Amino acid sequence: MYQSITANDLEQELKKNPHNILDVRDADAFVEGHIPDAINIPINELPEKLTSLDKEKPYTIICYAGGRSERASQFLAAEGFDVTNVMGGMGAFHGSVTK
């Protein structure tokens, strides 16, 4: 199981507390704009890069619209990670973005 949060709620949360953001979009989309300090691991690379993630940390998973992040959240939760899916993704996120 994993939790979900709206892009708007994440925006408000980030004003108060840092999150370990995992952006599962491809590298080109990530470079175009992402949440500051986000980690980029495209969803198709997740299985081979699992060891680079820390199971002791909670992760907030984001993509562009919410579909890939939902699949990534299901996968990571099944692997024992504490994850929260961002519904609406970067397309609905209006907080600060870096390039």
Side-chain angles (χ1 to χ4, degrees), residues 7-77:
N8 189 48
D9 286 344
L10 174 61
E11 196 178 320
Q12 300 310 313
E13 285 263 325
L14 287 171
K15 291 176 183 173
K16 296 178 253 172
N17 300 304
H19 281 242
N20 298 308
I21 307 286
L22 176 58
D23 191 320
V24 296
R25 296 175 298 156
D26 63 39
D28 290 342
F30 184 79
V31 169
E32 289 294 314
H34 57 272
I35 296 171
D37 300 321
I39 306 164
N40 179 226
I41 302 178
I43 190 167
N44 60 338
E45 296 175 20
L46 262 183
E48 70 232 31
K49 296 200 173 165
L50 259 188
T51 56
S52 66
L53 299 174
D54 183 350
K55 282 192 177 173
E56 301 299 311
K57 292 181 183 175
Y59 289 95
T60 302
I61 317 298
I62 196 164
C63 63
Y64 181 74
R68 283 174 290 182
S69 62
E70 186 173 347
R71 289 196 308 278
S73 294
Q74 290 170 341
F75 171 74
L76 291 168

